[in-house]
Amino acid sequence: MKIIVTSIFVEDQDKALEFYSETLGFVKKQDVPAGEFRWITLVSPDEQDGTELLLEPNAHPAAKEYQKKLFADGIPATMFGVADVHKEYKRLVEKGVEFTMEPTEMGEVTIAVFNDTCGNLIQIAQK
């Protein structure tokens, strides 16, 4: 058994697709109609056959409430691995991304946290 898809709740699928592809650099893998919304997944450009990130609409009241509470409490919705947190931090700041935590060493890991503009905090980590 392996993880093939993981999801993140987003307020607006089009806005999220733009941010995650154009700003973060993920590659769109699927974009198909799914009722009133779409099944949109992205993958890492380095692992295009790897785990897909689903941009899940937060239309359900429980999803919306969950997302808002995580954000309000400063809890990242997910974590992405990077080779160099400081380099990625600089690249994203230059693209206008707002960080709530600058690169910070936590034992053997260095992390940073940013606002994805779609209702989530995202953590990047370097081991």
Side-chain angles (χ1 to χ4, degrees):
M1 188 177 309
K2 65 180 182 176
I3 298 169
I4 59 171
V5 176
T6 188
S7 63
I8 187 165
F9 291 116
V10 297
E11 297 167 338
D12 178 310
Q13 286 185 299
D14 288 320
K15 182 178 179 181
L17 177 58
E18 181 180 335
F19 181 83
Y20 280 80
S21 61
E22 294 179 20
T23 303
L24 298 186
F26 289 109
V27 176
K28 181 171 65 172
K29 179 131 185 185
Q30 298 184 60
D31 187 350
V32 295
E36 81 178 87
F37 299 105
R38 293 163 25 221
W39 178 269
I40 303 172
T41 65
L42 301 112
V43 292
S44 167
D46 301 329
E47 294 182 24
Q48 294 193 26
D49 290 324
T51 304
E52 296 176 45
L53 177 66
L54 173 63
L55 302 178
E56 183 80 35
N58 71 352
H60 189 281
K64 197 172 296 239
E65 186 69 17
Y66 171 77
Q67 184 185 33
K68 284 182 180 180
K69 287 188 179 214
L70 284 180
F71 191 93
D73 288 347
I75 300 171
T78 195
M79 179 191 312
F80 300 135
V82 297
D84 184 330
V85 166
H86 294 280
K87 183 177 176 182
E88 193 65 19
Y89 170 82
K90 182 179 179 195
R91 181 184 81 81
L92 293 175
V93 166
E94 288 172 356
K95 288 183 164 260
V97 174
E98 291 182 24
F99 278 78
T100 60
M101 176 191 285
E102 295 182 4
T104 304
E105 289 187 27
M106 302 275 189
E108 297 180 13
V109 179
T110 303
I111 64 171
V113 178
F114 64 86
N115 180 342
D116 77 350
T117 73
C118 305
N120 304 291
L121 295 175
I122 305 295
Q123 182 171 292
I124 54 175
Q126 171 191 342
K127 289 185 178 183

